[in-house]
Amino acid sequence: MDKQQILNWLKETDERRLQELWSWADEVRRQHVGDAIYLRGLIEFSNHCARLCGYCGLRADNQHVTRYRMSADEILQCSHHAQELGYGTVVLQSGEDYGMKADWLADVVRRIKAETRLAITLSVGERSEQELQLWREAGADRYLLRFETSNPLLFDRIHPSLPGKLSDRIALLKLIRSLGYEVGSGVMVGIPEQSFDDLAQDILTFNELDLDMIGIGPYLPHPETPIGQHPGQYSLDAANQVPADVLMTCKAIALTRIMRPKCNIPSTTALATLDKARGRELGLMRGANIMMPNVTLSEFRENYQIYPDKACLHETAGHCAGCMTNRIAAIGRSIGTGRGDSPNYKKADDIT
């Protein structure tokens, strides 16, 4: 599809036409990544963050959050639990925490690799080439860094750069690929002043970056943030503003599946937060093939709130696994076994 075709689908309101889109995306998903849904165990190991992102509850100046860092042993405990639950991957996620030293994380990665069969995804923000190389050599398989929006002015508003350190996530994603990682990124749907043209360009940018994993979720601001406290500060006219709702998020997921048939696409927790009854299932039926149950220790989960009222916040890891298993069975799909690597991923020595 070209940009105009993507725009037409993003603005489509006819239910019959939209059913054609859902069916198209679901068939592309079935043909290219199959019916299996792979589960990734999410470990939110630190909520410290140096950034001042305009919407995120982890932002550095939020005084209403209790900060924590999990120990290496606690992360290993969660990793073993993830393996016991049958997951093939753990996702180690944190704020952009510069108190978390690169050597320490490298050692955690080595221990997980030595003690489990798990693939490891890192999601720890914008880091240096030396750190990224160190973690790759330690055994990290994948790296997730969302570019959030391809509109640079919009990005700068919601993600101000650190002093003396200009953010360029597109360039950083290209570097991450060159280091041999399986590369993941993604965007938010419905950022204030995000136009339909912006979102269409986001979907084209997924193609340009040749991404292996793509996460798409609705924009959900935290109330303890500048944008959360002043939601009307930025506004487009209703005809141009992308809504931050379930329908628009599903359109973006479906179009991304059609444009990137071999990538892994999660049905996100943010989508489930907007529609706790059916959000995950809708994502899975409209192109997604990944779910990310939380295996973080219960005593820490409450304080990892990028946005409020997060789905499944108070569930145990075991309960979450059982719930997801039942949801997957209810839509006639199966749980994948093994690592669930992206069919799109090319190892460094495979790239000519």
Side-chain angles (χ1 to χ4, degrees):
M1 285 182 282
D2 60 25
K3 192 172 191 177
Q4 187 58 54
Q5 290 171 308
I6 295 171
L7 277 167
N8 291 343
W9 278 116
L10 290 174
K11 295 180 178 182
E12 183 62 67
T13 59
D14 184 88
E15 289 291 341
R16 290 172 297 178
R17 288 281 290 154
L18 287 173
Q19 189 57 53
E20 292 175 15
L21 179 64
W22 311 143
S23 298
W24 184 10
D26 198 44
E27 182 58 29
V28 171
R29 185 270 309 156
R30 182 177 296 108
Q31 289 180 8
H32 292 275
V33 296
D35 284 330
I37 296 168
Y38 289 90
L39 304 180
R40 320 295 207 199
L42 178 63
I43 305 174
E44 298 161 331
F45 70 90
S46 169
N47 69 350
H48 288 262
C49 190
R51 307 304 289 259
L52 289 169
C53 298
Y55 62 93
C56 179
L58 303 189
R59 58 182 278 129
D61 66 356
N62 184 1
Q63 302 299 312
H64 300 281
V65 59
T66 302
R67 303 290 176 173
Y68 71 88
R69 292 187 184 101
M70 291 171 59
S71 70
D73 286 344
E74 287 169 332
I75 295 172
L76 265 292
Q77 178 184 341
C78 294
S79 300
H80 282 287
H81 194 190
Q83 182 165 270
E84 291 164 2
L85 291 169
Y87 307 159
T89 296
V90 285
V91 181
L92 305 187
Q93 180 172 292
S94 70
E96 201 158 302
D97 178 8
Y98 293 104
M100 181 273 298
K101 300 304 180 185
D103 288 342
W104 176 87
L105 184 57
D107 185 60
V108 170
V109 169
R110 293 187 195 100
R111 288 184 61 187
I112 294 172
K113 285 295 185 178
E115 297 180 25
T116 74
R117 302 180 301 277
L118 297 166
I120 299 174
T121 300
L122 298 181
S123 179
V124 296
E126 300 173 29
R127 309 299 294 225
S128 71
E129 181 175 357
Q130 292 76 18
E131 291 170 313
L132 294 165
Q133 181 69 47
L134 174 65
W135 298 330
R136 178 66 181 139
E137 292 172 352
D141 302 279
R142 308 172 186 140
Y143 202 93
L144 175 59
L145 181 71
R146 290 159 62 111
F147 64 82
E148 303 296 15
T149 172
S150 56
N151 181 330
L153 295 178
L154 192 55
F155 179 86
D156 289 344
R157 183 184 303 146
I158 64 173
H159 279 282
S161 296
L162 290 170
K165 184 184 177 186
L166 181 66
S167 290
D168 187 345
R169 293 195 172 187
I170 300 298
L172 192 51
L173 285 163
K174 293 176 181 178
L175 170 64
I176 290 166
R177 175 167 298 288
S178 74
L179 295 175
Y181 284 97
E182 188 174 328
V183 182
S185 193
V187 298
M188 292 186 292
V189 173
I191 303 166
E193 294 197 350
Q194 181 186 48
S195 69
F196 286 93
D197 189 82
D198 290 332
L199 185 54
Q201 186 59 49
D202 291 344
I203 294 170
L204 292 173
T205 302
F206 297 152
N207 246 11
E208 294 166 12
L209 291 170
D210 191 26
L211 295 172
D212 305 306
M213 308 176 288
I214 300 172
I216 300 169
Y219 168 79
L220 298 172
H222 194 282
E224 297 293 338
T225 62
I227 300 178
Q229 291 172 353
H230 305 285
Q233 183 176 359
Y234 307 106
S235 61
L236 287 176
D237 59 275
N240 288 315
Q241 172 66 52
V242 172
D245 60 19
V246 172
L247 177 60
M248 189 57 59
T249 303
C250 286
K251 287 181 184 179
I253 289 172
L255 291 166
T256 298
R257 170 57 67 197
I258 293 163
M259 295 290 286
R260 303 291 305 155
K262 294 183 179 181
C263 72
N264 282 328
I265 302 177
S267 186
T268 62
T269 303
L271 182 59
T273 297
L274 274 190
D275 183 345
K276 291 184 172 63
R278 292 277 291 168
R280 293 190 193 276
E281 290 90 333
L282 289 174
L284 293 171
M285 292 188 291
R286 295 171 180 179
N289 68 316
I290 300 290
M291 295 174 78
M292 295 176 62
N294 200 323
V295 294
T296 308
L297 296 177
S298 298
E299 58 262 38
F300 299 116
R301 286 195 200 187
E302 186 75 30
N303 292 308
Y304 200 92
Q305 289 198 42
I306 295 172
Y307 50 83
D309 195 30
K310 186 163 64 173
C312 309
L313 182 63
H314 303 293
E315 293 183 0
T316 66
H319 183 276
C320 193
C323 177
M324 289 195 178
T325 298
N326 292 336
R327 288 175 182 268
I328 289 167
I331 61 171
R333 302 271 287 278
S334 60
I335 295 176
T337 58
R339 293 163 46 106
D341 295 313
S342 169
N344 185 70
Y345 174 58
K346 306 173 189 68
K347 296 181 181 178
D349 53 6
D350 293 335
I351 300 173
T352 58

